[in-house]
Amino acid sequence: VAVAGGFFFFGLGQLAAQVLQGTPATELPMREGRVQPLFDHAQLQRWDIAPAALAPDAVVLHQPPGSLEALYPHAPWLATLFGSLLVIIGLLLNGIRTRRQTEATLRQSEQNYRQLFNTSTDAILVRNADTGTIVDTNPRFHALYGYTTEEAQHMNAADLSLNVAPYTAATAANYMERTRAGSPQLFEWRSRRKDGSDFLSQVSMTRFDLPNGQRIVSTVRDITELKTAQHSLQELNQQLEARVAARTDELQRALDQLVQSEKLAALGSLVAGMAHELNTPIGNTLLAATTVKETLHDFDQLLTSGNARRSDVTDALQRLQEGFALIERGTTRAAKLVQDFRQIAVDQGSAARRPFDLHEVVQSVVATAAPLLKPGQHHVSVDVDRGIGMDSYPGPLRQVIMNFIN
């Protein structure tokens, strides 16, 4: 049986050190203190001493596993230990669950990014901002340029450019440096495909800061068709302006000739009828020209913004074609009226004999005199078959019909 003091362990160590240094044991001082009896389980078994016979505060050492009595004195701190372990386990489980949720969110975000990246209608190149190396491309890039991702990873800006001023590698490097400095870039560029052909493109560059470094994302859009459509619209606008100017000059000359003709017997009625008949086609032509001009202006702004789509080009061309058709009908009608008025003036100013179509002559006189008829009170019906050719005097005939109407 071994007996030792609780806090005497440290004091006994000092006394043992003095004995080892040569101090006689009889000269060692006595120490007082609270002691706790300690017993060895094997010695208790040897001497057949039951643990129940020991003092309440006695501690039995080296008890075999499964002896719960030996744990009773340690129950408080063991309970604390088990509680702490449960808290730690709970925290670990919560951390594992949170990590799994975060990983699932990251995987979903990666899937969404990949879906947008792979289904984009524009070619996308991802470059390392430090080295300029292409690290990723989307399927649209392969279709537009003809290169695979592996081939693109060994290429630089010069390989994808026309390399004719201003579309050179130095200019491209300047754009990339501005993007790397934090300024997004948007510009037009002449790009070159794998087969050597080139196309006009619109390029946007943006910098992204990622955990593994900075990336420059370049979006390339083929705008060849848009530029072709814009050029065609400009040509159509120039042609329209030329045609309107030519028609206007023709009408002005015709009007001047009619007004200045001193041989017209009924000049006032003729001018009134002409003005009334020309008002509708000329008004329609002016309205159509204004609409076409606004359409061209709106479409030019759409092209400049870079947001034009194929459907926008189709809609603009359709509206322009409709406007041109209306302008053509109006100017053709006006030209026909001018021709009729001029012929009336010639016929009324002279009594010359010539071949003419009877229906056309009568109809032109009635059309000229239409403004003289009060709406709702008088109506003129022309009952003359078409195709009746005459070789006679249309001037006096026109004057007679006009006198009847007046």
Side-chain angles (χ1 to χ4, degrees), residues 266-284:
L267 181 60
S269 299
L270 186 61
V271 171
M274 178 184 63
H276 182 273
E277 291 298 319
L278 287 176
N279 183 61
T280 299
I282 292 178
N284 293 338

Side-chain angles (χ1 to χ4, degrees), residues 1 4 76 94 96 117 135 144 162 165 231 289 309 339 353 358 365:
V1 179
N94 182 67
I96 292 173
F117 185 78
V135 297
L144 184 60
L162 185 60
H231 181 69
R309 299 172 297 180
Q339 183 179 0
R353 177 175 179 172
L358 181 61
V365 176

Side-chain angles (χ1 to χ4, degrees), residues 236-267:
L236 289 174
N237 186 31
Q238 295 175 356
Q239 294 175 4
L240 172 63
E241 292 178 353
R243 293 173 63 181
V244 170
R247 295 293 187 181
T248 302
D249 292 341
E250 182 181 351
L251 291 175
Q252 186 62 46
R253 287 194 300 269
L255 289 174
D256 292 342
Q257 292 176 2
L258 291 176
V259 171
Q260 295 175 2
S261 178
E262 298 179 352
K263 299 181 179 181
L264 296 176
L267 181 60

